[in-house]
Amino acid sequence: MKTVQLASRTTRLTIGLAVMLMTLSLGRVQASDGTNQFLFLTLRLKGGAVTLEKASVVSGTLKPQQDSTDAEPLLVTLEQAEGEARWSLAIDDPSIQRYEYEDPQQPGVLKSKLVQVDDVEFIVRAPLTPGVRHIAIYRKEKSIQPATAGESPPAKRLVARIELPKEVTK
């Protein structure tokens, strides 16, 4: 009779862990978005006013997006009703552009400059969320002192609330 040697305990544990992680990750991908579509919004910020230039539903997976760490970001929200946010994302102010250039006095040394642009187009990718009717853009106000526990978050000021076209709402 031949003896069959099984894989070592470490190998079995590693394979079991890999199978478990793959199962969990597949479940997360499927649960995150059943439609496999998202909103692709082209907006324009001109003279302090925001307008929706184009809105479309595109196929694909919406990659995770990080909130801006800028001091005064724009807060983009998808709203079901006025003021009832279903999704939001803080983005860097697109009207503030950072330019880098070589210092003429010191070749090889870069200088940078922040410039306020009056007319800029920017893109927002957002999930295709049922019941959403508006996109609202807020400007988070810079707080003078850091918030402490129990304090309300910095104030936000409405810049624009735009009704989304029927073609891009569920």
Side-chain angles (χ1 to χ4, degrees):
M1 184 159 126
K2 290 186 179 181
T3 306
V4 178
Q5 186 172 0
L6 297 174
S8 71
R9 183 174 181 215
T10 306
T11 305
R12 289 190 310 246
L13 185 61
T14 303
I15 291 171
L17 184 59
V19 169
M20 186 173 69
L21 287 174
M22 286 180 7
T23 304
L24 289 173
S25 66
L26 286 174
R28 275 188 75 202
V29 170
Q30 292 170 352
S32 66
D33 186 15
T35 63
N36 207 28
Q37 295 178 317
F38 61 92
L39 292 173
F40 195 83
L41 307 169
T42 304
L43 299 144
R44 179 174 298 277
L45 178 59
K46 184 175 184 178
V50 178
T51 55
L52 179 64
E53 298 292 310
K54 184 179 176 187
S56 58
V57 175
V58 295
S59 295
T61 304
L62 181 62
K63 295 177 185 170
Q65 302 173 73
Q66 298 294 320
D67 279 331
S68 170
T69 57
D70 194 25
E72 294 182 47
L74 292 182
L75 183 65
V76 179
T77 63
L78 294 179
E79 298 179 339
Q80 185 168 356
E82 192 170 308
E84 189 182 327
R86 300 283 307 240
W87 175 87
S88 67
L89 177 70
I91 63 171
D92 290 342
D93 186 344
S95 67
I96 298 175
Q97 300 288 316
R98 178 187 170 103
Y99 295 107
E100 290 185 349
Y101 57 95
E102 186 177 28
D103 185 354
Q105 270 44 33
Q106 300 174 347
V109 175
L110 288 179
K111 285 187 131 185
S112 65
K113 183 177 187 178
L114 294 178
V115 177
Q116 181 82 34
V117 180
D118 186 48
D119 185 5
V120 65
E121 194 172 91
F122 62 102
I123 304 291
V124 173
R125 296 177 328 273
L128 187 59
T129 308
V132 167
R133 299 288 175 248
H134 301 96
I135 182 169
I137 313 292
Y138 296 92
R139 183 172 300 280
K140 278 190 177 178
E141 301 297 330
K142 186 176 173 181
S143 60
I144 297 169
Q145 298 174 356
T148 58
E151 264 186 33
S152 60
K156 59 184 183 180
R157 179 179 52 85
L158 181 66
V159 176
R161 180 172 284 117
I162 305 163
E163 188 169 345
L164 291 169
K166 300 279 187 233
E167 310 86 64
V168 299
T169 58
K170 277 182 144 182

